[in-house]
Amino acid sequence: MEQTPPDPERQVQPASLEPLSGPDDDLEAAVSKEADGAQREGSGTDTMTENNFFLKKIEISVSEAEKRTGRNAVNMQETYTAYLVETRSAERADSQSVLTDSLWRRYSEFELLRNYLLVCYPHIVVPPLPEKRAEFVWHKLSADNMDPDFVERRRIGLENFLLRVASHPVLCRDKIFYLFLTQEGNWKETVNETGFQLKADSRLKALNATFRVKNPDKRFTELKHYSDELQSVISHLLRVRARVADRLYGVYKVHGNYGRVFSEWSAIEKEMGDGLQSAGHHMDVYASSIDDILEDEEHYADQLKEYLFYAEALRAVCRKHELMQYDLETAAQDLASKKQQCEELATGTVRTFSLKGMTTKLFGQEAPEQREARIKVLEEQIGEGEQQLKSKNLEGREFVKNAWADIERFKEQKNRDLKEALISYAVMQISMCRKGIQVWTNAKECFSKM
Amino acid sequence: MGALGGAGGRRRRAGLTLGMEGERRASRARSSDLPAGGDGAESPGGSVPLPAGSCSPALLPADVLDLDEDEDDLEVFSKDASLMDINSFSPMMPTSPLSMINQIKFEDESDLKDLFITVDEPESHVTTIETFITYRIITKTSRGEFDSSEFEVRRRYQDFLWLKGKLEEAHPTLIIPPLPEKFIVKGMVERFNDDFIETRRKALHTFLNRIADHPTLTFNEDFKVFLTAEAGELSSHKKQGPGLLSRVGQTVRAMASSLRGVKNRPEDFMEMNNFIEIFSQKINLIDKISQRIYKEEREYFDEMKEYGPIYVLWSASEEDLVDTLKGIASCIDNCCKATEKRMSGLSEVLLPVVHEYVLYSEMLMDVMKRRDQIQAELDSKVEALTYKKADADLLTEEIGKLEDKVECANNALKADWERWKQNMKNDIKSAFTDMAEENIHYYEQCLATWESFLTSQTDLQLDEDSEDKL
């Protein structure tokens, strides 16, 4: 798979990859191809280091989160959370992992990394970050970013992000990614120095292209529709799920009141007392069981959310295609009109309206030398244009090919992940039902002994 | 002379008629010439002890009961509210709940029941003045004192109120079953929406059956009239009875004595009162909690209904996940149905019972008050005696009567109290056991649907894997 960004220092040019099944496989296959590529490349110790780094299996974890205070850009005090990113490599034969790097990153640095990857690998479906602010919350969960449960879930999400990048056959080789894991100080400056922001396409340009492109690849148009549908259905699902969770919480918790009242009532009952008391205890157990159940379900919601955000990544690839296609179409159109102008000048016929043509008619024809000069300029431009068009065409086709390969990879990953998430949801429900049967059977026994 | 008892004045016989099963048992044991059952009698026989619990007394053939005399007694007692209906209690009557439980175990209730009442078919009646609902009441009985074996009448809520009032008059310290409320203030849009009528109908059904099961109340004359009289007869019957003035007099006396307070409430009744207070608090809370659970379950159900279809919608855009997504949707829908069933179970087995006991707890407080009043009357007379030496003789006589009255009242209450507690325990126990059962069933249904989904997914996986290997 060839990379569109031409800078060799940033990454290695590997050979093409066959479709793979698991993240580790990806990495190993990439790594083995890596080895070949490394010898071919020989572009300096930097790349060698990173190759060596990825030759071994690495484990990345975001193991801790810590509240910090510091001064922000406008020198105001702020509180933020920092996350500890640890990298381990399985160096030894006994495959015991050794901590090779450990540094603290905050969410904004993750965002910077991602933005960088988005710009530099527009044909890749870049893994999304966990949400910046808590959305789709049901009432018990707070929408506060400092809430420990939210921070914990975000920690897991960030780890997931890094693992996704590390297991991507292309992204894992990126130098900036490598530095993110290994270079604590100055990393931000290093990223900015690459000047990637300049390469970013303006939103406006992209929007314009979306509306005006005439012949985008049909597959991308379909993909865009798919990603819209995916986003809409998952959002809806998450919203309703949050409401269902809310209601379920209510049902369970109200039962807890029985516990207290039964206990008080049992004080005046001679026969029923024991039964009431112990039944009340089971009601308390029932009521408190919902907390764990919903905590687990939150994990399911997070899995869905990842794909909700992936939909945006898919759309980004489609947008890039539309932009490139539009660019191509514009260039082709431009070339065609220049060719026509040239022809008209050469043959003297004016088929299309042009200012020159009008002025010529009004003020008389221009001198033949002038016309020759103009034709020459145009012919040069046409020559350049044809070159450009050729390369743009090539670029476009390459993009489509590479993007589509990654999209196929993504599709398989998505199907696997979603299926697993749905099945684990079923498993959660089963566990909830079993707990329910247990508690109510116990309660029933207590009641029947009253 | 009625075959029910041995020698004895009117009071005694009446007492036996209206008294607890124990009374009857005792009396029958004493009079050996009493035919325990006539030909084809449905009663199990005189030597079998009757449960004081929830069943009506054994049926005795009509000729054994001397009805007219008994009815006179009933009339007397229902008119003269200052005298207690129940007199002395046989010492042989078991009051321990434990013995009652044992009895219940041995008896088959349905064999002993001789009065079957159903309340159904609510109908709306519109007149120029008002709109009201009547309920059809069907009574089937094998009792001799009824002219026929089957009756069908229509009654409205007012009639039930009247009946309750008469029962309270006749038996001030018996625990009369509660009526459903006149109206529920909050959450009512119209007075007569379907749920309200249905809930009320069920409660009225329970009310009449509780009376029928009560060993004393079941023989109340007004009760019989209520069940059997045609509309016109009922209204004329209603006009009889203690006049308005005497009732007013009663109320005044009652208020006066309650103001004085009860100084010497006996120990048992202090305990009883304490129980009633706490029970009332707790049952009210349980009522609120149960209603709240129902509400939360309903809201959960409403949300779940929306949840399943989203998975179906999603399956339309995912070719490879169609089965899985649709499978989940169908599981959620099944759980939805199970929730609906759980809700309806709750509203059938738990809510009406708990609510009835909320009303019962109010009844109990009224009964305590009435008992206290009766005692207060006595106490005030006793007090008067210490100051007014002049009317000593008259007062002493009155005090004598009042002492009897108090004793009657207390004994009646005590016995009925034990019966009530036993019933309460059984009812609460079975209501909550049923609720637990509903919940177990709910979770079992949900478990089954999710497990079958999981199995189908694993099977699919195995199929796919084996296909890949091929």
Side-chain angles (χ1 to χ4, degrees), chain A residues 196-371:
Chain A
F196 79 94
Q197 279 105 339
L198 299 169
K199 295 182 67 207
D201 297 313
S202 86
R203 250 332 214 205
L204 197 59
K205 233 176 103 186
L207 200 62
N208 187 40
T210 304
F211 285 127
R212 290 176 154 197
V213 68
K214 293 194 188 104
N215 253 341
D217 185 312
K218 252 209 308 204
R219 290 177 298 175
F220 284 94
T221 317
E222 278 169 22
L223 185 68
K224 212 162 58 137
H225 287 155
Y226 168 76
S227 73
D228 286 339
E229 275 172 22
L230 186 71
Q231 188 173 43
S232 142
V233 84
I234 295 185
S235 312
H236 192 194
L237 190 67
L238 287 171
R239 244 175 296 129
V240 177
R241 190 214 70 93
R243 293 205 301 259
V244 170
D246 227 347
R247 294 288 151 227
L248 192 64
Y249 184 79
V251 173
Y252 272 74
K253 285 299 177 187
V254 180
H255 279 87
N257 289 307
Y258 275 143
R260 182 179 53 89
V261 180
F262 282 174
S263 170
E264 291 165 3
W265 184 3
S266 69
I268 53 170
E269 292 287 349
K270 293 191 194 84
E271 284 168 49
M272 288 213 287
D274 290 337
L276 271 177
Q277 182 92 313
S278 44
H281 163 73
H282 292 299
M283 292 295 99
D284 285 333
V285 169
Y286 181 67
S288 60
S289 69
I290 191 67
D291 294 314
D292 285 341
I293 290 168
L294 287 177
E295 183 62 42
D296 287 343
E297 261 197 37
E298 219 40 55
H299 177 66
Y300 169 69
D302 284 340
Q303 287 176 294
L304 294 184
K305 264 184 221 173
E306 194 192 10
Y307 280 91
L308 175 68
F309 302 142
Y310 255 125
E312 179 55 44
L314 279 176
R315 269 209 298 280
V317 177
C318 295
R319 269 200 306 270
K320 183 67 181 181
H321 166 76
E322 283 167 351
L323 204 63
M324 289 179 79
Q325 181 66 13
Y326 178 67
D327 206 29
L328 184 70
E329 286 171 7
T330 317
Q333 207 174 36
D334 208 43
L335 184 67
S337 97
K338 283 207 165 78
K339 281 187 174 167
Q340 196 175 44
Q341 271 185 26
C342 203
E343 199 199 307
E344 285 171 10
L345 279 176
T347 59
T349 55
V350 181
R351 260 175 282 145
T352 55
F353 175 82
S354 73
L355 194 58
K356 204 67 182 171
M358 280 315 295
T359 50
T360 314
K361 274 204 166 156
L362 290 170
F363 302 111
Q365 280 224 333
E366 53 185 347
E369 305 86 38
Q370 279 180 317
R371 198 151 44 104

Side-chain angles (χ1 to χ4, degrees), chain A residues 404-421:
Chain A
W404 207 254
D406 197 52
I407 286 163
E408 290 297 332
R409 183 204 61 84
F410 167 78
K411 277 193 192 162
E412 279 180 36
Q413 172 199 296
K414 167 198 63 113
N415 288 338
R416 265 197 321 269
D417 290 347
L418 287 178
K419 187 156 184 183
E420 192 211 302

Side-chain angles (χ1 to χ4, degrees), chain A residues 226 264 300 414 434 444, chain B residues 282 311 318 437 443 451:
Chain A
Y226 168 76
E264 291 165 3
Y300 169 69
K414 167 198 63 113
R434 289 217 176 102
K444 182 178 167 192
Chain B
K282 302 311 162 197
Y311 285 95
E318 299 284 349
E437 185 56 49
Y443 281 111
E451 278 188 330

Side-chain angles (χ1 to χ4, degrees), chain B residues 257-355:
Chain B
S257 53
S258 68
L259 286 173
R260 253 178 268 133
V262 180
K263 294 167 216 161
N264 314 313
R265 196 192 269 152
E267 185 63 35
D268 330 6
F269 294 106
M270 288 303 285
E271 237 179 80
M272 199 186 286
N273 194 59
N274 184 48
F275 183 97
I276 291 169
E277 271 176 21
I278 297 180
F279 175 80
S280 175
Q281 264 178 39
K282 302 311 162 197
I283 199 71
N284 267 287
L285 283 172
I286 291 181
D287 184 53
K288 283 205 189 78
I289 296 168
S290 310
Q291 303 273 4
R292 181 66 190 277
I293 289 177
Y294 182 83
K295 176 170 165 282
E296 294 285 340
E297 280 186 15
R298 168 156 285 285
E299 294 186 342
Y300 173 68
F301 171 73
D302 288 339
E303 295 294 350
M304 281 289 270
K305 268 195 300 192
E306 266 194 63
Y307 189 40
I310 304 177
Y311 285 95
V312 176
L313 183 67
W314 191 0
S315 71
S317 48
E318 299 284 349
E319 321 170 313
D320 297 302
L321 297 172
V322 174
D323 290 331
T324 313
L325 288 168
K326 281 198 173 156
I328 297 228
S330 118
C331 285
I332 293 175
D333 287 341
N334 289 340
C335 291
C336 225
K337 289 195 196 102
T339 303
E340 206 174 17
K341 189 167 174 300
R342 174 169 73 162
M343 262 166 47
S344 89
L346 195 73
S347 83
E348 238 156 85
V349 307
L350 185 70
L351 299 181
V353 173
V354 170
H355 198 67

